[in-house]
Amino acid sequence: MVQSKKQKYLFLAFCLIPTFIMFSIFTLYPLFSGLYYSFFEWSGASQTREFVGFDNYTRLFNDDIIPATIWHDYFLVITKVVGIMIMALFIAVALTQLKIKEAPFYRIIFFFPNIMSVVVIGILWTFIYNPNLGLVNSGLEMIGLEEWTRPWLGSERWALPSLVLPSIWAGIGLFMLLLMGGIANISKSNYEAARIDGANEWQQFWHVTLPLIWPQIKISILYIVITTLNGSFIIVQVMTGGGPNNSTHVMGSYLYQQAFNQYNFGYGATIGVMILVISLITIIILQFLLKREKVEY
């Protein structure tokens, strides 16, 4: 059917305008509102707001807790990227290349945590780390390592590392499926040619599989970084609340504490602007570092 230019533009408008309206309401409006409120001293509940200019940003740069929250966020970013990508890649290769009969069952098992709420995961792992009844300390006692038992979430030294395991456990399944999809699209002829050339299993993985699924790996890394910098505060709030003694506060949890617990909404908005800027800079740097020439199948 031949369509006029007017009909095409009307069709495009019909598709794009509702999406743009939703994007404006749920993304642009909160973004610019947060930037606006960062210039005010406001409790978040009162009707009056006091314009303070850049005072909140001055306070941000002089806040001793802010550098610690940034370090905690990047600690989780690095450990999650390394842990999730190694585990997801290992499982994806095993389930696609080793021809395991129970592969569909294992896919469900590994993906199951992804359909669980982060709050549920946090509560579950809080019980696992319980110093008296938790599986971690009980398991260590059973194998004779009582000296290794400790209050995992109550220790300033071990509370933050303790958040890594549930974060990795909760994220493996999604990226496993993404990598499996990439591996499944690789032509068998590539592996046959590699075997003819004398490549062993490891060389096939390193020189065939890895380069051809690099787009999926890149997307996975970027997604992990974005969701960690912007969403790790949920599991922190559930499991530690930022404690003990601010040792697990990330930027998001500290924002929540300032805005909704201490009613410094203007300062909380300032922290939100900082999170946005840091996230954008991190993603731009990663896009540059992960850039590679496209590999054809």
Side-chain angles (χ1 to χ4, degrees):
M1 182 180 297
V2 179
Q3 293 181 330
S4 65
K5 287 187 177 180
K6 182 179 179 180
Q7 289 176 317
K8 289 181 180 179
Y9 290 141
L10 286 174
F11 176 75
L12 290 174
F14 177 78
C15 294
L16 295 177
I17 290 177
T19 304
F20 179 74
I21 292 173
M22 298 297 289
F23 178 75
S24 300
I25 293 173
F26 294 105
T27 302
L28 295 181
Y29 175 73
L31 176 65
F32 287 107
S33 294
L35 181 62
Y36 172 76
Y37 291 135
S38 69
F39 295 103
F40 289 85
E41 183 72 30
W42 184 38
S43 68
S46 65
Q47 294 182 349
T48 58
R49 296 190 295 267
E50 179 185 354
F51 180 77
V52 294
F54 289 95
D55 286 358
N56 283 327
Y57 290 92
T58 303
R59 176 182 174 184
L60 181 75
F61 287 109
N62 293 317
D63 193 334
D64 294 333
I65 299 178
I66 290 296
T69 63
I70 296 174
W71 156 243
H72 297 162
D73 257 315
Y74 280 101
F75 174 81
L76 292 176
V77 165
I78 294 170
T79 52
K80 284 180 66 176
V81 167
V82 174
I84 291 176
M85 292 311 300
I86 289 176
M87 293 298 299
L89 189 57
F90 173 80
I91 296 170
V93 172
L95 295 182
T96 53
Q97 303 294 86
L98 300 183
K99 299 179 180 179
I100 301 174
K101 293 182 180 179
E102 299 82 4
F105 173 75
Y106 289 126
R107 286 182 194 145
I108 296 173
I109 293 298
F110 287 117
F111 186 74
F112 183 75
N114 287 93
I115 66 175
M116 297 173 62
S117 166
V118 178
V119 175
V120 174
I121 291 172
I123 294 172
L124 172 64
W125 279 87
T126 300
F127 282 107
I128 292 174
Y129 282 128
N130 186 286
N132 299 316
L133 304 174
L135 293 176
V136 175
N137 281 353
S138 298
L140 291 172
E141 291 173 357
M142 286 180 61
I143 60 177
L145 297 175
E146 292 86 357
E147 67 274 9
W148 287 19
T149 60
R150 63 199 75 238
W152 298 97
L153 299 179
S155 167
E156 291 186 26
R157 179 180 179 184
W158 292 101
L160 184 63
S162 297
L163 300 177
V164 174
L165 191 57
S167 300
I168 292 175
W169 178 75
I172 289 175
L174 175 63
F175 303 104
M176 173 201 70
L177 292 181
L178 181 62
L179 295 175
M180 288 179 67
I183 294 171
N185 286 328
I186 299 176
S187 174
K188 300 296 182 182
S189 61
N190 292 315
Y191 293 105
E192 293 173 0
R195 281 193 291 270
I196 292 172
D197 290 338
N200 56 32
E201 296 294 332
W202 171 252
Q203 291 171 328
Q204 290 177 40
F205 167 76
W206 192 256
H207 296 289
V208 178
T209 304
L210 208 56
L212 292 178
I213 64 169
W214 182 252
Q216 288 81 7
I217 293 175
K218 179 181 176 180
I219 291 171
S220 299
I221 293 173
L222 293 176
Y223 186 81
I224 293 171
V225 172
I226 293 171
T227 54
T228 301
L229 290 176
N230 293 275
S232 59
F233 75 94
I234 302 175
I235 201 163
V236 171
Q237 282 294 116
V238 173
M239 296 186 67
T240 65
N245 194 26
N246 297 320
S247 61
T248 59
H249 260 314
V250 294
M251 293 182 287
S253 64
Y254 191 53
L255 182 158
Y256 184 89
Q257 181 192 74
Q258 290 294 323
F260 300 105
N261 292 342
Q262 299 183 11
Y263 300 103
N264 296 323
F265 199 89
Y267 186 53
T270 307
I271 298 173
V273 174
M274 178 191 68
I275 295 173
L276 174 64
V277 172
I278 289 177
S279 299
L280 287 175
I281 293 173
T282 302
I283 295 304
I284 291 172
I285 293 173
L286 279 177
Q287 288 276 20
F288 175 76
L289 294 177
L290 297 175
K291 186 177 181 180
R292 294 183 59 176
E293 293 183 4
K294 187 176 181 181
V295 178
E296 299 291 343
Y297 286 98

